[in-house]
Amino acid sequence: MKTTGGTWRSLVWLPATWAATRLLLLLFVFKVYVFPGPDVTSDVSVIYQGWYDVLRTGTFPLDDVTWQYPPAAALPILSPGLLPFLEYAQAFFVLAFVADLAALSLLLYAGRHPGRTLRGAWVWVAGVPLLGPTVYARYDVMVTAVAVAALLAAGRHPRTAGALAGFGAMLKVWPVLLLVAARRRGPWVAAGATAVAVAALFSIAMPGAFAFLTFQRDRGTEVESLGSLVFHVARHHGWDGEVLLNYGSVEFLGPYVNVVSAGALCLTGVAFGWLLLWRLTATRFRAHTAADAAFVAVLMFTTTSRVISPQYLVWLVGLAAVCLCFRGSRMGLPAALVLLACFVTVLEFPIWFADVVQSTPRGIALLFVRNGLLVLASVLGARALWRSTVPEPEPAPFPAQAARADETSVSS
């Protein structure tokens, strides 16, 4: 691994920038400084700690509809118990910080190999603090660290990557999309075996491991999602629904919500259909294709979901960072759009979340911009992935050329 002068400078500035920005995040979650807007740490100190108290008894929260996660999600919720000398919330923030550091370390190590670059590490260093203290107040940063490890292992250790993706899927489902570009059975077999083993272990050890599957049946449309824009505008034209805390998030409930939710599901189906078509027609697979495809897949499914919580953006930052570790990746512009979306996200939550809930012009404008950036990133990412992996059909010959070709074949 040859290190140039520019690489040395990055290796100095990257950790320094990371340390400065993460210190600021820690100061916010530990409430040394108060971040504008509602308290984002209450999910840890109230909801997570409540789950922790139940999980410690050997069962899942069977009567809590806000528990909507696969069984391995119990691990990050229980993990603060590893630091008994700290209060629960403090221990959780420290472990989120450690997961952040682990992701950076992986990106730094990968970025120094031939054909790689440290751009990915810079995306991670810059993108995470753009989301504000919410990143350290949710367990998504831990899942993202697992996803980063899986994608970086995909080239040389596909079975390890599959196992990590399977474990990640048992943490929060979406990491199964990391395998969308896998061409051999090995990664899928490893992922399936890992997921089955983890699911079986939790099913035997703790009752209610899969109760979460029925807890989202009656969800509405979350106020930050793409579909919510319909109701934000409709509220100014007589729509008589309401905004309520429902299933752990702030959602629209009322007339036509089920129609918009069904529309979101249809868009997700279209995204799945496009990914299937791409997978069947793609033939040019390079070192960066697995990361590019995973980024596009998660981006499309996040954008079309009926829930776009702010912490979902950290998934996209992590996958974009892996993409940009590769010099040949075509995801530079979609990654930049995701970083812009992160900045707008911290404005709409938590800073001006009251405007979003009340559908004020400022709240609606922020959502139009943020969701518009995600839609644009999805379209451009899908276009770049298609062009880099699917060969263009050869143009049909002109009639004159075809005639000359026939004459040549006859004369010969």
Side-chain angles (χ1 to χ4, degrees):
M1 289 183 287
K2 185 178 179 181
T3 305
T4 64
T7 302
W8 275 117
R9 285 191 293 272
S10 286
L11 289 174
V12 172
W13 282 104
L14 272 167
T17 307
W18 180 87
T21 54
R22 274 41 176 195
L23 174 60
L24 189 59
L25 289 180
L26 288 173
L27 291 173
F28 282 130
V29 293
F30 279 97
K31 298 183 180 177
V32 176
Y33 298 118
V34 177
F35 200 80
D39 180 13
V40 300
T41 66
S42 61
D43 274 26
V44 177
S45 58
V46 178
I47 298 175
Y48 284 13
Q49 188 161 3
W51 291 338
Y52 173 81
D53 293 336
V54 174
L55 290 166
R56 288 179 64 193
T57 67
T59 184
F60 284 89
L62 299 177
D63 299 322
D64 188 350
V65 296
T66 63
W67 176 263
Q68 300 165 12
Y69 308 107
L75 297 177
I77 301 302
L78 289 169
S79 63
L82 298 172
L83 304 175
F85 48 88
L86 294 175
E87 295 180 4
Y88 180 87
Q90 294 173 342
F92 186 90
F93 301 146
V94 169
L95 292 172
F97 170 85
V98 171
D100 183 357
L101 177 59
L104 174 68
S105 301
L106 290 168
L107 293 164
L108 284 173
Y109 178 77
R112 296 182 61 196
H113 283 75
R116 308 284 185 90
T117 171
L118 292 174
R119 290 184 306 161
W122 276 115
V123 168
W124 182 255
V125 168
V128 168
L130 286 177
L131 291 168
T134 304
V135 173
Y136 282 1
R138 307 291 187 272
Y139 82 89
D140 296 80
V141 67
M142 303 173 185
V143 184
T144 303
V146 174
V148 167
L151 278 182
L152 290 175
R156 295 186 178 184
H157 308 285
R159 286 185 174 83
T160 301
L164 287 169
F167 177 67
M170 288 291 99
L171 286 170
K172 207 163 187 181
V173 180
W174 67 266
V176 72
L177 295 171
L178 304 179
L179 300 176
V180 68
R183 290 183 290 169
R184 298 179 181 177
R185 289 186 299 175
W188 285 102
V189 171
T194 302
V196 168
V198 171
L201 179 63
F202 277 100
S203 296
I204 294 170
M206 301 174 68
F210 292 94
F212 76 97
L213 293 173
T214 63
F215 285 170
Q216 297 198 46
R217 187 168 45 203
D218 299 320
R219 291 202 68 160
T221 294
E222 194 257 344
V223 295
E224 298 164 273
S225 66
L226 183 63
S228 74
L229 289 169
V230 173
F231 300 111
H232 282 294
V233 174
R235 291 176 85 182
H236 293 271
H237 298 278
W239 182 72
D240 59 353
E242 54 187 348
V243 176
L244 294 175
L245 182 63
N246 189 50
Y247 291 87
S249 63
V250 181
E251 299 179 349
F252 282 114
L253 298 172
Y256 306 109
V257 170
N258 60 333
V259 175
V260 172
S261 296
L265 188 60
C266 287
L267 285 177
T268 300
V270 170
F272 176 80
W274 183 91
L275 285 170
L276 181 61
L277 178 62
W278 167 80
R279 188 62 187 82
L280 293 173
T281 55
T283 58
R284 295 196 297 256
F285 287 79
R286 298 179 175 85
H288 55 84
T289 301
D292 288 357
F295 174 56
V296 170
V298 175
L299 181 58
M300 293 173 74
F301 278 86
T302 300
T303 302
T304 59
S305 173
R306 59 180 174 174
V307 178
I308 306 181
S309 296
Q311 63 268 23
Y312 292 6
L313 274 292
V314 76
W315 313 345
L316 302 178
V317 172
L319 300 187
V322 177
C323 290
L324 267 64
C325 277
F326 297 91
R327 293 188 184 278
S329 175
R330 303 287 187 87
M331 296 298 147
L333 181 55
L337 293 172
V338 166
L339 292 182
L340 286 174
C342 289
F343 175 69
V344 181
T345 296
V346 80
L347 296 179
E348 62 92 358
F349 183 90
I351 295 178
W352 285 314
F353 190 58
D355 288 89
V356 172
V357 173
Q358 296 168 16
S359 301
T360 68
R362 178 164 59 186
I364 295 174
L366 287 171
L367 286 182
F368 263 108
V369 173
R370 197 281 301 275
N371 292 343
L373 287 168
L374 292 179
V375 170
L376 183 58
S378 299
V379 172
L380 294 179
R383 183 169 175 259
L385 179 65
W386 186 279
R387 287 189 167 187
S388 65
T389 56
V390 178
E392 294 183 5
E394 295 184 4
F398 290 108
Q401 292 176 328
R404 284 197 297 269
D406 291 339
E407 290 173 3
T408 302
S409 62
V410 170
S411 61
S412 60

